[in-house]
Amino acid sequence: MEYYELTKLYELLESTNKRLEKTKHIAEFIKNCTPKDIDKVILLLQGIVYPKYEDKKIGIASKMVVKALNAATGISSEEIEKYWKKTGDLGITAQELIKKKKQHTLFSQILTVEKVFNTVRKLAKIEGVGSTDLKIKMISELLTSAKPIEARYIVRLLLEDLRVGLGEGTLRDSIALAYYEIKEKKSIDIENIQGLFGKDSELTTIRDKIQEAYDISNDYSVVASTLMEKGIISLNNIDMDVLKPLKVMLAQKVKDIKEGFERVGVPCAIEYKYDGFRMLIGKKSDKIVIHTRRLENVTKQFPDVVELVKENVKAETCILDGEAVGYDPKTKKYIPFQNISQRIKRKYDIEQLSREVPVELNIFDILYYNNNSLINESFEKRRKIIEKIIIQKDLKIKLAEQIITDNEKEAEKFYKKSLEFGNEGVMLKSLTAPYKPGSRVGYMVKLKPVMETLDLVIVGAEWGEGKRKGWLTSFTISCYDEDTDEYLEIGKFGTGIKEKDEEGVSFEQLTELLKPYIIEEKGREVKIKPEIVVEIKFEEIQKSPSYNSGYALRFPRLVRIREDRRPDESSTLRQIEEMYKKQ
Ligand code: ATP
């Protein structure tokens, strides 16, 4: 397939922010993909060449692209930079410059999807001496063959900033629609798509199956190619790989025990809600892999946990779900999440840090055991298996503290005891429910003392002045719009941050964290790639024309950094609309 065709689709997606239109455009495109190309197309549509869970970045800096453009067009780097400042988009700049150049050249090689995909993958792998020159050469060769519109999207792909506004939900719906249209041998008009996604409809069933397969594989390219080639039944065969990351099951919130009982049914299991760090642990013989709920591999950072699992879990293969809670090595008391969060990103002195900030692993679920998936088994049965296979040791590895009850008084007592222990609250869990990776379905609910907060993404800041010189200050925060995959601004915060590295988060710490993600600077203003999620406390949500979300927060204040959250897991525009209405 020619890459040019894909860029035509990108253009269509960029030209509309209507979700259904995007769905239709992509579905049409997928229907015409050959089996050879579909997996690549699905990744490229997301602006990536490796599934998101893989820790592989394309890693091309904009400066390198400027040099490659210079080599491809002969236009000086200064002039390219000038043009870039004017357009604010290096992709558009590349498009315009290649257009100028192409008027003078007659031949260019036809770029295929495969060629672009493979070249970018190669670029991502090159390292070592001379790698910069080689990369520039490869990029400039691509750009020399590219049509102007192709240059635009190649550059954006290289910079990992595709800007076509495509959310995961829309991609999933498009794959479902493409499959449905092929199966039914008809083409659905845009205005009828919404209606077909009704409750219990066939299209909805297909969509849910795709979502389930995605929650297990975390890779739409595998899901789409399996579905298109082998049909819907084959999605059941997408099996878990114990060493790959999986999405964890999430909890809904309840306001009291009574509501919790109603939601999960009684009798139910009630467990401590530990204030720690969620871990999904895969074991295959002696190989142990730890992933976060952001699907990041943190095995290296937790050698202590690896040892604990090796020694105390009796299973050939398994995937365990649990929470690592930090404790003070002297007092042996639990400490809050913030204190162990430093372990997540640490790259040096890991052994020493694991002694200074030790963790106790509290296992509360199992998804896979000795070559069998357990996600469709009841929680009661899954708990019995972890009771059987884990050798418990205080302050090392434990099963989550649990009672089973239908008695409100008993439950209240347990809740109080949990808080006294330094936990966040309790979880109430249905005994009969399966495990739904990636879903907030209400098979488990959380109860904790109320404080409304939002998880928001930092997208901008200002360089400080006076005593805050050299630090980023006044942080612009955004919520996530699932429909368009965009981050929409909702306010700025500057409080809740410490001047020095005392207890809590300091300006210096935030600055260090955000610096690698700065994409643009104008005077003191800094634009930041949406990557870092923070928990924000506030007094009220107000309607506001000042921010493009349409809302603003009154008195926003930083509570903590959420290292465990991906940006697209932050609070959504829809959630904020709901909260606003409830106020
Ligand atoms: P919060 O912000 O309240 O921690 P969250 O949005 O991070 O919640 P939720 O899924 O809504 O995540 O709340 C459940 C979280 O509580 C889990 O992700 C897990 O990290 C933690 N947790 C602690 N103890 C348990 C337990 N016994 N069972 C399940 N989850 C637990």
Side-chain angles (χ1 to χ4, degrees):
M1 172 184 269
E2 284 187 31
Y3 182 63
Y4 180 66
E5 290 177 42
L6 181 61
T7 62
K8 287 306 222 188
L9 174 62
Y10 284 147
E11 239 186 342
L12 281 173
L13 297 177
E14 216 179 319
S15 70
T16 174
N17 49 21
K18 295 209 176 80
R19 182 175 169 154
L20 291 177
E21 280 181 21
K22 291 187 194 242
T23 308
K24 181 70 185 170
H25 291 319
I26 302 171
E28 279 307 315
F29 194 84
I30 291 177
K31 284 197 303 188
N32 294 319
C33 278
T34 60
K36 190 174 113 245
D37 285 325
I38 186 151
D39 50 345
K40 298 180 192 75
V41 163
I42 297 288
L43 289 174
L44 289 173
L45 270 172
Q46 300 169 85
I48 49 182
V49 290
Y50 293 104
K52 283 188 184 161
Y53 64 80
E54 284 197 32
D55 256 351
K56 290 183 189 150
K57 297 257 177 255
I58 298 175
I60 301 292
S62 37
K63 288 239 150 30
M64 198 181 277
V65 173
V66 171
K67 283 192 185 142
L69 263 174
N70 160 255
T73 61
I75 300 170
S76 73
S77 295
E78 293 72 41
E79 206 164 319
I80 297 172
E81 300 237 5
K82 230 198 283 161
Y83 209 86
W84 174 22
K85 270 227 167 75
K86 218 161 62 190
T87 59
D89 179 341
L90 200 46
I92 303 250
T93 306
Q95 178 175 10
E96 294 295 325
L97 298 181
I98 294 286
K99 195 151 111 200
K100 256 193 194 169
K101 158 93 191 317
K102 282 283 144 94
Q103 289 162 355
H104 308 291
T105 44
L106 285 174
F107 307 106
S108 74
Q109 191 196 334
I110 287 177
L111 286 179
T112 60
V113 162
E114 200 177 3
K115 165 85 182 164
V116 173
F117 184 88
N118 290 342
T119 309
V120 177
R121 267 205 174 179
K122 258 190 224 151
L123 277 167
K125 280 190 208 146
I126 300 173
E127 356 178 321
V129 187
S131 61
T132 308
D133 289 344
L134 181 56
K135 282 183 189 178
I136 293 173
K137 184 166 168 272
M138 284 167 70
I139 299 170
S140 87
E141 273 168 13
L142 259 191
L143 293 174
T144 307
S145 307
K147 296 186 176 67
I149 182 81
E150 292 176 324
R152 164 163 160 185
Y153 292 106
I154 288 172
V155 165
R156 289 192 186 166
L157 172 68
L158 291 171
L159 298 177
E160 297 175 336
D161 186 15
L162 199 58
R163 303 193 190 187
V164 296
L166 174 62
E168 284 195 343
T170 311
L171 181 61
R172 175 201 59 207
D173 292 0
S174 315
I175 299 169
L177 183 64
Y179 181 73
Y180 178 79
E181 289 190 350
I182 291 174
K183 194 172 143 282
E184 296 294 315
K185 298 195 181 69
K186 58 182 173 194
S187 175
I188 312 295
D189 292 334
I190 291 179
E191 50 280 11
N192 296 331
I193 297 175
Q194 188 72 47
L196 284 172
F197 274 117
K199 202 168 168 253
D200 299 329
S201 74
E202 192 178 351
L203 192 51
T204 304
T205 310
I206 297 171
R207 181 187 67 188
D208 293 350
K209 279 265 166 219
I210 293 173
Q211 181 71 47
E212 272 173 34
Y214 176 66
D215 289 333
I216 286 175
S217 64
N218 281 304
D219 184 353
Y220 276 119
S221 70
V222 169
V223 176
S225 54
T226 309
L227 177 69
M228 292 300 166
E229 242 179 280
K230 303 190 193 127
I232 191 109
I233 299 285
S234 64
L235 290 186
N236 294 335
N237 301 334
I238 294 186
D239 199 9
M240 287 178 194
D241 180 335
V242 297
L243 302 180
K244 270 196 199 163
L246 268 172
K247 284 205 177 139
V248 295
M249 179 159 76
L250 299 168
Q252 290 178 351
K253 215 188 294 174
V254 290
K255 62 177 191 310
D256 52 27
I257 297 278
K258 189 161 168 278
E259 191 190 354
F261 275 178
E262 277 162 17
R263 206 71 83 70
V264 300
V266 282
C268 67
I270 309 185
E271 294 178 356
Y272 283 179
K273 184 181 193 310
Y274 299 95
D275 185 14
F277 175 57
R278 185 118 181 223
M279 281 181 178
L280 214 57
I281 305 166
K283 176 179 189 299
K284 195 172 192 176
S285 300
D286 264 356
K287 178 127 179 93
I288 314 288
V289 178
I290 307 171
H291 285 104
T292 69
R293 52 179 280 185
R294 287 178 63 132
L295 314 181
E296 287 162 335
N297 187 330
V298 289
T299 315
K300 279 204 191 98
Q301 289 91 311
F302 291 92
D304 43 344
V305 174
V306 169
E307 280 313 304
L308 283 176
V309 173
K310 252 190 219 169
E311 283 168 20
N312 302 299
V313 179
K314 295 182 287 174
E316 184 52 29
T317 55
C318 67
I319 303 174
L320 300 168
D321 191 0
E323 190 97 346
V325 195
Y327 63 87
D328 183 324
K330 286 195 200 96
T331 63
K332 315 277 188 240
K333 285 228 161 62
Y334 287 157
I335 52 176
F337 168 77
Q338 279 102 304
N339 304 32
I340 67 155
S341 63
Q342 50 176 313
R343 289 200 56 180
I344 303 169
K345 293 221 161 22
R346 185 60 86 95
K347 300 218 161 65
Y348 54 93
D349 291 342
I350 286 174
E351 295 283 346
Q352 188 189 336
L353 193 65
S354 70
R355 280 190 300 275
E356 283 167 16
V357 192
V359 293
E360 178 189 77
L361 185 60
N362 290 278
I363 302 292
F364 50 73
D365 218 323
I366 182 162
L367 287 71
Y368 196 88
Y369 174 55
N370 286 355
N371 299 322
N372 288 309
S373 166
L374 296 179
I375 57 174
N376 292 319
E377 303 291 347
S378 68
F379 176 56
E380 196 172 19
K381 184 164 174 197
R382 301 198 305 272
R383 169 83 188 191
K384 289 237 159 70
I385 295 177
I386 45 179
E387 282 171 2
K388 196 175 79 184
I389 67 170
I390 289 169
I391 307 165
Q392 299 196 62
K393 285 181 185 153
D394 276 342
L395 295 178
K396 299 271 181 217
I397 181 168
K398 306 268 291 176
L399 295 183
E401 195 70 27
Q402 185 193 75
I403 58 168
I404 292 176
T405 186
D406 58 0
N407 181 304
E408 250 180 73
K409 276 213 180 97
E410 200 183 336
E412 287 290 354
K413 220 169 105 191
F414 187 75
Y415 178 32
K416 233 177 107 194
K417 186 171 138 202
S418 178
L419 291 175
E420 280 165 10
F421 251 81
N423 297 312
E424 265 196 312
V426 285
M427 308 292 298
L428 286 86
K429 300 183 177 181
S430 157
L431 291 173
T432 53
Y435 190 103
K436 277 255 177 230
S439 298
R440 224 176 258 284
V441 270
Y443 293 156
M444 64 173 185
V445 295
K446 57 182 171 186
L447 172 62
K448 54 183 186 179
V450 274
M451 178 179 78
E452 281 289 27
T453 60
L454 287 169
D455 291 322
L456 299 166
V457 186
I458 298 183
V459 295
E462 275 173 30
W463 285 113
E465 287 178 321
K467 65 176 181 164
R468 291 190 183 157
K469 198 161 186 276
W471 292 341
L472 290 172
T473 57
S474 185
F475 302 91
T476 309
I477 35 183
S478 286
C479 61
Y480 180 59
D481 184 355
E482 294 159 292
D483 292 345
T484 59
D485 193 29
E486 278 176 332
Y487 293 90
L488 303 176
E489 294 178 2
I490 189 169
K492 284 177 196 265
F493 76 92
T495 45
I497 314 162
K498 304 284 175 293
E499 296 289 335
K500 287 217 187 80
D501 229 346
E502 14 176 309
E503 268 287 283
V505 182
S506 65
F507 280 105
E508 190 177 0
Q509 208 180 334
L510 268 175
T511 306
E512 286 309 311
L513 201 60
L514 292 166
K515 250 191 194 161
Y517 303 113
I518 294 179
I519 19 183
E520 220 179 284
E521 295 193 38
K522 256 193 208 136
R524 285 174 53 211
E525 301 273 332
V526 169
K527 234 165 106 179
I528 294 168
K529 186 170 179 197
E531 192 64 36
I532 302 296
V533 182
V534 284
E535 186 174 347
I536 297 289
K537 200 158 71 166
F538 56 93
E539 299 242 313
E540 199 190 357
I541 300 174
Q542 300 170 322
K543 281 247 180 210
S544 163
S546 317
Y547 296 110
N548 59 359
S549 65
Y551 295 93
L553 299 179
R554 212 166 102 92
F555 301 133
R557 192 181 168 78
L558 177 73
V559 180
R560 60 172 164 162
I561 300 168
R562 296 287 318 233
E563 276 97 345
D564 57 335
R565 290 235 159 185
R566 278 199 320 268
D568 62 359
E569 277 186 318
S570 53
S571 303
T572 61
L573 183 62
R574 239 173 270 161
Q575 278 167 348
I576 287 160
E577 276 162 356
E578 287 291 306
M579 282 168 87
Y580 175 77
K581 276 188 216 142
K582 274 196 191 155
Q583 281 176 179

